[in-house]
């Protein structure tokens, strides 16, 4: 599955939530934030206006990173995330493709 194909229903299923256990507005916000996080972290755009260059959809393993981030964001809705508290699975997947080193 490509990152752009992930729907809130997929996230809810990954989180093992029933239809009445989540808000679509909340789940949309979480999914959007997770996709943006992956894109910002790696420097790889979600979409591109040119035929050249890769997007998040070119790496199916980013789907797992987005799902794990969604789970972290859902489970820790009131938790403040600092740089040293990044999920290690997500961090290792994203570091393999990081292009925006500072």
């Amino acid at each position: 599955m490509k990152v752009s194909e992930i729907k809130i229903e997929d996230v809810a299923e990954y989180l093992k939530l029933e239809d009445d256990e989540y808000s679509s507005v909340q789940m949309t916000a979480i999914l959007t934030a997770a996709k943006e996080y992956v894109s910002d972290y790696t420097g790889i755009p979600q979409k591109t206006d040119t035929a050249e260059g890769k997007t998040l959809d070119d790496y199916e393993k980013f789907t797992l990173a987005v799902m794990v981030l969604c789970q972290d964001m859902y489970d820790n809705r009131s938790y403040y995330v600092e740089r040293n508290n990044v999920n290690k699975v997500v961090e290792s997947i994203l570091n393999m493709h990081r292009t925006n080193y500072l």
Side-chain angles (χ1 to χ4, degrees):
M1 174 185 291
K2 295 178 180 183
V3 170
S4 65
E5 296 172 343
I6 302 172
K7 306 290 184 242
I8 60 170
E9 295 81 12
D10 300 320
V11 175
E13 181 180 338
Y14 182 80
L15 299 176
K16 296 180 174 53
L17 299 174
E18 298 295 325
D19 289 342
D20 61 344
E21 293 181 312
Y22 68 92
S23 157
S24 62
V25 172
Q26 179 185 47
M27 202 60 67
T28 298
I30 289 172
L31 179 57
T32 300
K35 288 177 180 181
E36 287 178 4
Y37 182 90
V38 172
S39 181
D40 291 347
Y41 191 99
T42 61
I44 300 171
Q46 291 186 51
K47 299 176 186 174
T48 184
D49 295 332
T50 64
E52 60 190 61
K54 299 253 184 189
T55 67
L56 294 183
D57 282 348
D58 293 311
Y59 305 93
E60 287 198 26
K61 61 184 131 195
F62 287 158
T63 299
L64 177 60
V66 168
M67 293 294 207
V68 170
L69 280 168
C70 287
Q71 182 171 14
D72 272 356
M73 290 178 189
Y74 184 81
D75 290 345
N76 302 300
R77 292 181 297 271
S78 62
Y79 177 70
Y80 177 75
V81 178
E82 295 180 9
R83 190 134 183 89
N84 59 349
N85 290 330
V86 175
N87 182 292
K88 295 300 178 192
V89 172
V90 172
E91 185 176 38
S92 65
I93 291 171
L94 300 182
N95 277 340
M96 288 187 284
H97 300 282
R98 196 168 180 182
T99 61
N100 55 351
Y101 293 104
L102 295 179

